Amino acid sequence: MQISRFWHFNTPLLILALPLLGAHLAQTGMGVVDTLMAGRLSAVDLAAVAVGTSVFAPIMLLIFGTLLGTTPLVAQAAGARQTASLAGTVHQATWVSLVMILFGGLVMTNSQWVFDFMGVTPEVSALASGYLRALAWGLPALAFFQVLRCLCEGLNHARPVLWISLLGLLINIPANYVLIYGKLGLPQLGAVGCGYATALSFWFMALLLSLYVHLRPNYRRFAIFAAWQKPEWVQIGHIFWVGLPIGLSIFVEASLFTTIALFIGGLGEVVVAGHQVAFNFTTLLFMVPLSLGMALTVKVGHALGSGHPDEAREAAWYGVQLSALVALISAAFMWLSAPWVVRLYSENTEVQLLAAGLIQLAVLYQISDALQVNAAGALRGYKDTRIIMLITFVAYWLIGLGGGWWLALGDNPWGPQGVQGFWYGLILGLSFAAALLLWRLHSTSRQFLNPNTPQEAI
């Protein structure tokens, strides 16, 4: 590896990734705040937020991921200086988001059967269902915020999303305090209050980003809100063609954690709470490689749009190398900090011990997780998304979940390992995904170096 070339490509990548990271941390911070504040009320409320989040997270990521198909479209249009099409891209992506909102809202407002089917205790199930019904009110705002976010990030403008996400988090904290604990004369809603507070924050963020795009001079020339376009089925189909495999890939990964949370719902509140604490903390640290992967999508898309596939390939591989370096640092921090971090989430010593042990297991898959998410991010820049969906399905569901269930609850030579068995499955699945996605990135980036290769998904 040439150090000068490494930093030549990764310095602008980091400049873009850092605001993305801040925005991710702020938005993930809402889940952290929900978990911390509900956990301080009771273990039942913490468990309700845990299983409720396990349903909401994959729905949210399916919406986010599908709309992420907008980012490479914007990035390649910007690289080719074809910005006249951007308003149409935003409008058609918004029509796409309506379909996703209807699906997500239907699941979230009828979630009781999921919890009953998976054997979640009645008290936790009732609270979790109320949490999701409250949170569903914020789904339209969250989807439109994501559309505008893809526009900003595809144009290499990540800072407005960062500041607005931070303001959303600042709204979420006092709203949680008032609604969870019943302040200012309002009833104590517990976990359900988390849902209303987060929905309120989503609407606040969507309104602010809409005003920014409408009023900012460098966006005004795109005329995003000048005249709303009717559905154009060809472009909607193209956004779905690029974005739905991304959404399904992210959904498959997120639903792996969802299904694990539901499977362990019958193992008791301590196990559910310990798993949620560990998952919440590791997800927070995962935002670093995820942000690098999203920045890679933009950088690769810009290079391809401007007609430089050689630069796209170099940017992709140097970015993957950077992600491995960052993962090593993250793993060391995770290992050292686990015993004291868990105390912030819960005062229950059983929950603390279980969560700390799971966090230290997560250290083992940090590098493979970072490699797979950055390889996938680079492939999205090439609009090569469908193979990602296939690889992640096999890696996460067949190997990760199937192997994890066998180790956790099945008849295996070592005996049932409990919740730890699912985390062993995660290690296997993520390692498999990293190997295959790196191979695919090598193959795709080489094919784009050939000028006779069409610059479309292969």
Side-chain angles (χ1 to χ4, degrees), residues 2 44 54 152 160 168 382:
Q2 298 181 16
V44 175
S54 70
C152 295
Y382 286 99

Side-chain angles (χ1 to χ4, degrees), residues 51-301:
V51 296
T53 301
S54 70
V55 172
F56 172 65
I59 292 172
M60 177 186 70
L61 292 172
L62 176 62
I63 295 172
F64 270 27
T66 302
L67 296 175
L68 272 178
T70 311
T71 302
L73 298 178
V74 172
Q76 292 197 17
R81 301 186 183 279
Q82 297 174 351
T83 55
S85 64
L86 293 182
T89 300
V90 170
H91 298 165
Q92 303 311 315
T94 304
W95 291 117
V96 169
S97 74
L98 289 179
V99 178
M100 310 306 295
I101 292 166
L102 290 173
F103 165 76
L106 185 64
V107 174
M108 290 172 67
T109 54
N110 296 276
S111 58
Q112 185 72 50
W113 69 270
V114 179
F115 302 135
D116 292 342
F117 177 75
M118 298 306 296
V120 178
T121 58
E123 188 177 9
V124 172
S125 175
L127 274 176
S129 298
Y131 168 77
L132 286 175
R133 285 193 297 271
L135 194 52
W137 288 102
L139 209 55
L142 182 65
F144 190 59
F145 176 81
Q146 179 66 5
V147 172
L148 296 181
R149 175 181 176 170
C150 290
L151 169 69
C152 295
E153 292 173 356
L155 293 171
N156 222 351
H157 301 155
R159 288 185 181 179
V161 178
L162 165 63
W163 294 117
I164 290 170
S165 298
L166 287 172
L167 289 172
L169 176 61
L170 291 178
I171 290 292
N172 184 241
I173 293 171
N176 259 339
Y177 178 73
V178 170
L179 295 173
I180 292 174
Y181 303 118
K183 304 298 180 180
L184 301 179
L186 295 174
Q188 180 176 292
L189 298 177
V192 177
C194 291
Y196 285 120
T198 304
L200 176 65
S201 300
F202 290 158
W203 280 104
F204 177 79
M205 290 161 56
L207 176 62
L208 280 187
L209 191 53
S210 298
L211 288 173
Y212 178 87
V213 170
H214 179 61
L215 299 175
R216 191 72 177 176
N218 57 337
Y219 283 87
R220 196 174 297 159
R221 60 194 174 95
F222 303 139
I224 300 298
F225 296 107
W228 206 264
Q229 296 181 12
K230 296 179 181 179
E232 296 287 346
W233 301 112
V234 173
Q235 191 168 6
I236 287 175
H238 186 55
I239 293 172
F240 267 119
W241 182 251
V242 176
L244 190 57
I246 302 174
L248 290 174
S249 300
I250 298 174
F251 175 81
V252 164
E253 181 176 2
S255 62
L256 168 63
F257 290 95
T258 298
T259 308
I260 290 172
L262 294 174
F263 270 130
I264 65 174
L267 299 180
E269 294 166 3
V270 169
V271 174
V272 173
H275 171 80
Q276 173 65 9
V277 168
F279 174 56
N280 197 272
F281 178 56
T282 55
T283 299
L284 201 61
L285 293 180
F286 175 68
M287 295 301 103
V288 180
L290 177 62
S291 300
L292 287 173
M294 293 184 68
L296 264 182
T297 300
V298 175
K299 291 302 182 184
V300 170

